[in-house]
Amino acid sequence: MLTLQRGATALLLLAVSCGGPPPVFAQQPEPLTQIAKIALPGINGDFDHFAYDLKRNRLISAAEENHTLELFDLKTGAHLKTIAGFKAPHSIAYIPETDEIFVTDGDDASCIVLSAKDLHRVDRIALRPGADSALYDPAAKLYYIANGGREENKKTSVVTVLSVLDHKKVAEIPVQGDNVEAMAMDHAHHRLFINIRDQKRIGVVDLATDKVVSTWIAPGMNRNTPMKFDAPTQRLFVAGRTPGRLYIFNTGTGRIVRELDSVDSADDLTWDPATSRIYVTGSQGISIFRQNSPDDYSTVMTMKTIGGKTSLYVPELKQFYVAHPKGDTPSAALLIYRVNP
């Protein structure tokens, strides 16, 4: 059934009463249009996070349970290379200042550094077990890595801060919780936000002291995993996994301004200020939301992705990437979408 707005209905009735043809209304394109699907028959198990090297037109994916990094052509998605030698790769950052790739390896309790030029191993920085989620701050040239906690049977974790210029640890932020997930940076207030998943809380770190100074909670928030921050509006976007739920925090007050149903088991979240859209990827697909104002958000749609939980948006190409495991399909695959205005 086609639903017409009041103005459109009036035009239609006028055209019919005058004996003319009904007007043609342009249909808005969906937010994402799938433009490629690259089968990956040799890759088994779940994927984790992505990074990209625009200089070399490369997309890099952590095939966590396959114990490899996978390289793709950034524009076409063509599979280029498999890099073995990892135990459980999770988060990846391409560092243009040093032309290196930093990879957290949870089972190896380390951050592995590769040369982006020829992909040989440059360094191994020892961490606590469970090195997983990470955030690169290009302004300070620092890499924040969550490690420790449940993987070493401890109730406390740390966020280790590495200098990407000399591969040295410069700080460790203690966290009362055994499972730290995604992080986001607030440069204006010199703060780091962290998902303390086992505590169902958001931690606020004062970067002047490298200490958690407060925590925020939302009723019903559970297994809060991905996170992004919109600095101009001071809004923090957090997705809970079970049940799937998107939470928007006012970072000035720490209070929830809106929450919406989302896909379950979310692993990645993208905030695109150019279109005012939020994309959450989880086991049920992609939930797409629109920011109408800092305190007003609406659901646009949910798209199926065959269980692709991890994703990346490359704004320079206006392309959105999702990796899905084999599951009930013949093989794993990389899905590429065009982001429409």
Side-chain angles (χ1 to χ4, degrees):
M1 179 182 292
L2 178 63
T3 301
L4 299 174
Q5 295 180 353
R6 184 179 301 171
T9 304
L11 286 174
L12 178 58
L13 292 174
L14 178 62
V16 172
S17 66
C18 295
V24 177
F25 300 102
Q27 186 175 359
Q28 288 293 105
E30 293 187 342
L32 301 176
T33 301
Q34 186 175 323
I35 57 175
K37 178 179 179 179
I38 294 86
L40 304 170
I43 299 175
N44 297 307
D46 275 349
F47 293 85
D48 217 335
H49 303 294
F50 288 97
Y52 67 102
D53 173 359
L54 199 62
K55 174 182 175 180
R56 296 181 178 82
N57 189 42
R58 285 182 188 157
L59 176 70
I60 312 162
S61 172
E64 175 187 350
E65 294 182 350
N66 202 57
H67 317 296
T68 59
L69 292 188
E70 303 297 330
L71 265 64
F72 303 89
D73 182 289
L74 186 60
K75 294 179 181 176
T76 68
H79 187 238
L80 303 175
K81 187 179 181 66
T82 293
I83 307 172
F86 296 90
K87 293 183 179 180
H90 290 288
S91 294
I92 311 167
Y94 170 64
I95 313 299
E97 294 85 355
T98 61
D99 203 26
E100 292 175 331
I101 300 167
F102 280 56
V103 184
T104 63
D105 192 323
D107 289 356
D108 189 56
S110 69
C111 179
I112 304 299
V113 184
L114 306 177
S115 163
K117 182 179 180 180
D118 59 13
L119 303 172
H120 79 274
R121 185 172 293 204
V122 173
D123 203 353
R124 176 188 179 276
I125 305 165
L127 300 167
R128 289 166 62 173
D132 191 338
S133 294
L135 174 71
Y136 177 51
D137 178 9
K141 310 296 186 292
L142 297 175
Y143 197 39
Y144 293 79
I145 303 172
N147 55 119
R150 65 181 182 178
E151 297 300 324
E152 54 180 1
N153 298 314
K154 291 186 177 181
K155 295 182 180 180
T156 58
S157 306
V158 295
V159 175
T160 301
V161 188
L162 302 180
S163 165
V164 300
L165 300 180
D166 58 13
H167 305 173
K168 301 294 185 184
K169 296 179 186 179
V170 298
E172 277 199 342
I173 302 166
V175 180
Q176 294 300 312
D178 68 11
N179 185 199
V180 176
E181 283 292 338
M183 296 170 269
M185 184 71 62
D186 177 7
H187 287 107
H189 300 94
H190 207 50
R191 297 185 295 182
L192 178 73
F193 305 113
I194 59 176
N195 261 327
I196 311 174
R197 188 162 70 171
D198 62 302
Q199 301 292 317
K200 303 179 183 181
R201 292 178 179 270
I202 309 300
V204 183
V205 177
D206 178 358
L207 293 175
T209 61
D210 288 328
K211 292 182 179 179
V212 177
V213 293
S214 64
T215 60
W216 303 334
I217 193 167
M221 186 169 69
N222 184 44
R223 302 188 71 206
N224 40 305
T225 304
M227 168 191 289
K228 284 292 186 294
F229 178 59
D230 179 26
T233 63
Q234 289 288 297
R235 295 297 181 264
L236 186 70
F237 311 124
V238 178
R241 281 187 155 192
T242 48
R245 197 87 170 141
L246 174 67
Y247 299 88
I248 297 97
F249 287 82
N250 178 332
T251 60
T253 64
R255 296 184 181 276
I256 292 288
V257 299
R258 190 80 166 90
E259 55 181 279
L260 296 157
D261 289 336
S262 182
V263 289
D264 291 339
S265 302
D267 217 359
D268 271 318
L269 187 158
T270 293
W271 161 241
D272 178 19
T275 59
S276 298
R277 290 188 202 131
I278 301 164
Y279 302 90
V280 179
T281 49
S283 59
Q284 298 166 311
I286 312 171
S287 286
I288 306 172
F289 307 92
R290 181 184 301 281
Q291 183 191 67
N292 304 310
S293 74
D295 291 344
D296 180 30
Y297 299 79
S298 55
T299 301
V300 178
M301 67 183 302
T302 295
M303 303 179 71
K304 299 294 184 181
T305 60
I306 324 175
K309 296 185 295 184
T310 55
S311 58
L312 176 77
Y313 178 45
V314 177
E316 293 90 346
L317 300 181
K318 292 183 171 54
Q319 291 188 175
F320 190 82
Y321 305 81
V322 177
H324 77 72
K326 182 177 179 180
D328 297 329
T329 59
S331 74
L334 175 70
L335 309 177
I336 306 178
Y337 298 85
R338 181 180 67 247
V339 174
N340 299 314

